[in-house]
Amino acid sequence: QVQLVESGGGLVQAGGSLRLSCAASGRTFSSYIMGWFRQAPGKEREFVAAISSSGGITYYADSVKGRFTISRDNAKNMVYLQMNSLKPEDTAVYYCAADGSGVLTTHSKYWGQGTQVTVSS
């Protein structure tokens, strides 16, 4: 069982930065692929970024590549999403997710409650 709690969301101007954090419980954290999804009003939840269990491999959506960086600290059971050069279209609720299968999708088992990110123009 894994419980996820996000923090770090807020209101920022376009071009600014935010760092999201996800605190995970559970002794098997280091064996899970972790990642971030987002959902804007009226839109489906979409993949943003993921990181392998060891942290050695990262994946990004094309829309955030070069602007966002995902990282993890297995000793602290934490996952981070550094978001730079934010755009109004990045406005969404951001969700942390975890999966023990090695693959992260919208059907993955473990989700946080979400944190709101709002980017003003």
Side-chain angles (χ1 to χ4, degrees), residues 25-47:
S25 64
R27 291 181 294 176
T28 57
F29 171 80
S30 61
S31 67
Y32 283 71
I33 184 171
M34 301 292 299
W36 294 90
F37 288 73
R38 67 187 181 186
Q39 188 166 18
K43 295 187 177 181
E44 293 186 352
R45 189 169 298 189
E46 65 174 5
F47 169 77

Side-chain angles (χ1 to χ4, degrees), residues 85-96:
S85 302
L86 282 161
K87 305 174 181 180
E89 51 264 42
D90 294 318
T91 295
V93 177
Y94 283 70
Y95 297 91
C96 179

Side-chain angles (χ1 to χ4, degrees), residues 98-114:
D99 202 304
S101 71
V103 178
L104 201 64
T105 73
T106 54
H107 301 291
S108 289
K109 186 174 183 180
Y110 301 110
W111 294 88
Q113 82 288 351

Side-chain angles (χ1 to χ4, degrees), residues 6-24:
E6 303 98 333
S7 61
L11 174 64
V12 64
Q13 288 188 332
S17 298
L18 280 175
R19 188 195 196 203
L20 304 184
S21 299
C22 175

